[in-house]
Amino acid sequence: MKTKGKIFADIYIFIVLLTVLIPLISMIIFSFNQSNSLIVFTGFTFNWYVDLFTSRSLREPILNTLLVAGISTMAAVILGTLGAMALSKQNRLFREVALSVNNIPILSPDILTAVAFFVFLIAFGIERGLMTMILAHISFSTPYALLAIYPKVRSLDPNLLDAAYDLGATPGKALWKVVLPQLRGSIIAGAAIAFTMSFDDYIISKFASGELVNNISTYMYSQSHGIRPNINALSTIIIFIIGIKVILDYVNLRNKKHEEE
């Protein structure tokens, strides 16, 4: 019975993984398609990968996406880390209220955040563009970073800073040499979430940037005539990078387990 249960469990997991991976595999295959067709494979080529790096129409959205995601992630991590440290020093009631307020943009639909930011820009007569897109991404990424970092801050030994001060460390050195290394894992997690949210966002980007500035999401949605295969090539590269990261994390985890044993 245990053997049969294991077989059924393996089959079920295989079906789930297949369901998830079939669209991705199809996209990867058609990124090498010789024609524009997303249905019929006519031949193998790397032309769409070459076009990806030479096309001016796509180069700007890619650079904008990386720039906005990079800046907003750095700002969100800094604000989230400092905010988490500040919250950890407050009384319980203040912490609970602040965390509840922090959860509002996380739980709210993106369209509400986008409209709110749009109304704010219009009310103050601020011209929309790349800078307003960056500010919008910082505003919705910071709550995620704080949420990821705060639990680790709360779990730190409260005597850690006192011990660093007793050993002659300045507040800056204590923060850099003692506290931040303890928060490294949660900071990386918060940065990953913030970067992914920024990279993937469409609605807030559209309302915050106007018609003149595009990132990858707004560019793809603007393709009313259909998605070109160079978008498949870009998506394949992203999947490849994520796959390498997953493999490296798995190898590091296995190495740590072997060291502990």
Side-chain angles (χ1 to χ4, degrees):
M1 291 296 294
K2 288 183 179 179
T3 303
K4 289 183 179 180
K6 185 178 183 304
I7 292 174
F8 283 121
D10 292 342
I11 293 174
Y12 176 76
I13 294 173
F14 175 78
I15 293 174
V16 171
L17 291 177
L18 193 63
T19 304
V20 172
L21 293 177
I22 282 178
L24 297 179
I25 294 172
S26 174
M27 180 189 65
I28 292 171
I29 291 174
F30 280 93
S31 71
F32 298 100
N33 192 14
Q34 203 167 40
S35 68
N36 288 337
S37 175
L38 300 177
I39 301 174
V40 180
F41 192 85
T42 58
F44 186 89
T45 183
F46 284 105
N47 288 344
W48 298 115
Y49 289 87
V50 176
D51 182 71
L52 178 64
F53 294 101
T54 58
S55 172
R56 290 185 178 181
S57 63
L58 190 54
R59 187 187 310 159
E60 183 180 348
I62 292 175
L63 293 177
N64 286 341
T65 299
L66 295 176
L67 179 65
V68 172
I71 294 176
S72 64
T73 297
M74 289 179 59
V77 166
I78 293 172
L79 293 174
T81 302
L82 297 178
M85 295 174 64
L87 276 180
S88 67
K89 304 298 182 182
Q90 303 299 322
N91 60 64
R92 181 179 177 182
L93 178 61
F94 185 90
R95 288 200 307 269
E96 290 180 353
V97 172
L99 290 174
S100 298
V101 172
N102 182 75
N103 288 336
I104 292 175
I106 295 176
L107 299 176
S108 300
D110 284 350
I111 186 63
L112 295 183
T113 304
V115 171
F117 204 86
F118 177 77
V119 171
F120 170 80
L121 295 176
I122 297 300
F124 287 91
I126 301 174
E127 185 177 354
R128 292 180 295 161
L130 184 62
M131 185 55 65
T132 54
M133 183 191 287
I134 292 174
L135 293 176
H137 281 230
I138 292 173
S139 69
F140 76 74
S141 297
T142 300
Y144 290 94
L146 189 148
L147 198 65
I149 298 169
Y150 177 74
K152 182 61 179 179
V153 173
R154 286 288 294 166
S155 68
L156 292 179
D157 188 345
N159 299 318
L160 201 61
L161 284 176
D162 293 335
Y165 295 150
D166 291 340
L167 293 172
T170 62
K173 284 188 176 180
L175 176 65
W176 185 257
K177 298 288 187 179
V178 178
V179 177
L180 291 182
Q182 298 290 325
L183 301 176
R184 184 176 59 183
S186 59
I187 288 175
I188 292 175
I193 295 172
F195 187 88
T196 302
M197 295 294 298
S198 175
F199 197 94
D200 185 55
D201 179 75
Y202 164 71
I203 298 177
I204 297 176
S205 298
K206 188 65 176 178
F207 277 76
S209 64
E211 301 295 333
L212 299 179
V213 179
N214 279 319
N215 60 7
I216 291 176
S217 297
T218 57
Y219 173 82
M220 290 176 63
Y221 277 94
S222 68
Q223 302 301 297
S224 57
H225 54 277
I227 299 296
R228 296 185 65 205
N230 57 5
I231 297 296
N232 289 347
L234 175 63
S235 303
T236 300
I237 292 174
I238 295 172
I239 292 173
F240 180 73
I241 294 172
I242 294 173
I244 292 176
K245 179 66 170 60
V246 170
I247 293 172
L248 290 176
D249 289 343
Y250 175 77
V251 171
N252 290 333
L253 182 62
R254 290 292 299 269
N255 291 337
K256 286 181 180 179
K257 288 184 177 180
H258 286 307
E259 289 176 0
E260 291 175 359
E261 291 174 358

